[in-house]
Amino acid sequence: MTKPFIGIPGNILRGLNETQGLPITYTPQGFIEGIQTANGVPFVFPISSPEDASYYIDQIDGLLLAGGQDVSPSLSGEEPHLKLQATEPARDAFEMALIKEALAQHKPILAICRGMQLLNVMYGGTLYQDLSDYTDLSVQHLQQTYFSTGSHSVTLDPKSQLGRIFGESYLVNSYHHQAINVLADSFQAVAWSKDNLIEGFESKDTEQSIVAVQWHPELMLKEDTKMQRLFTDFVKKASISY
Ligand code: MN
């Protein structure tokens, strides 16, 4: 049996003491383990020129977008908010080119946290650059509890792909200070926090497989089989589509 290849665009770390500040390309280990447990073969991509996106996408069967820096506000024509954290415009540009190419080649996308926010901005949606701008905020979205522990609940559309995994309500972890404000037209919200922020969306176009979550399943999957199932379902889709 052939295993599908899953591409994970990596992040870059600068100023790490252990490497005397030498820049390091990486992805969090949880993504690797989620894909490997699902019988996929993970590939970590370095941030590269957007013009090379098709070379990367040609090699893979599914695209997994990881968390990381804030999405650049300039992508939605906004000035940086006072509470904006570090951005990486080169990563934004490369990942947007990968998304475009993955969709052109009908390869499934699973987007986590920043990946979800970038997709939304790319397709014309907007973000709260910082949750302090969200007037109905009443849930802690930057949890202090250990990362593998769910902290806030989400309500899900039971008919959605996420709803079929997690049911109508589920406890998820939460590490975001930005969130979706206006959702892009291409997507359908399928999961919400109790203070009504969008915690998950899927593509409206059923020919195109996009599943996006605001939480971090890669940090919970060792203890929580439903979090692993998110990766397993994604790898299965990738193996069908090639
Ligand atoms: Mn949250």
Side-chain angles (χ1 to χ4, degrees), residues 68-208:
Q69 298 88 343
D70 283 358
V71 172
S72 303
S74 58
L75 294 174
S76 18
E78 296 174 11
E79 292 298 315
H81 188 284
L82 294 177
K83 291 186 175 162
L84 181 74
Q85 297 177 6
T87 60
E88 187 72 49
R91 184 179 178 194
D92 294 337
F94 180 52
E95 289 186 349
M96 287 193 293
L98 290 171
I99 291 165
K100 209 172 151 201
E101 187 63 30
L103 294 178
Q105 296 192 22
H106 293 285
K107 291 176 177 174
I109 296 177
L110 175 61
I112 313 288
C113 194
R114 163 199 153 79
M116 162 174 165
Q117 296 172 356
L118 184 67
L119 267 168
N120 185 50
V121 166
M122 183 176 166
Y123 285 91
T126 61
L127 302 179
Y128 293 107
Q129 285 192 49
D130 186 80
L131 279 175
S132 55
D133 279 356
Y134 179 50
T135 43
D136 292 335
L137 186 69
S138 65
V139 167
Q140 187 184 58
H141 289 277
L142 258 176
Q143 76 182 51
Q144 306 298 308
T145 311
Y146 193 61
F147 59 74
S148 61
T149 310
S151 68
H152 74 61
S153 63
V154 290
T155 305
L156 301 108
D157 173 354
K159 294 184 297 293
S160 66
Q161 297 182 59
L162 285 174
R164 284 199 293 272
I165 297 175
F166 294 102
E168 285 184 31
S169 176
Y170 207 72
L171 205 59
V172 301
N173 60 5
S174 193
Y175 288 98
H176 55 112
H177 82 104
Q178 299 198 306
I180 287 174
N181 181 355
V182 176
L183 184 66
D185 278 344
S186 313
F187 307 124
Q188 185 170 359
V190 298
W192 302 264
S193 59
K194 280 287 183 296
D195 55 358
N196 231 12
L197 286 169
I198 294 173
E199 290 270 342
F201 68 68
E202 296 171 4
S203 54
K204 282 182 185 165
D205 180 358
T206 49
E207 301 288 292
Q208 204 78 78

Side-chain angles (χ1 to χ4, degrees), residues 8 27-38 42 64 66 112 147 216-222 227-228 231:
I8 311 171
T27 201
Q29 183 64 15
F31 294 117
I32 306 290
E33 289 168 4
I35 297 302
Q36 287 176 334
T37 303
L64 173 56
I112 313 288
F147 59 74
H216 286 271
E218 81 281 8
L219 302 178
M220 299 182 75
L221 49 80
K222 278 213 178 94
M227 296 298 171
Q228 176 59 47
F231 289 88

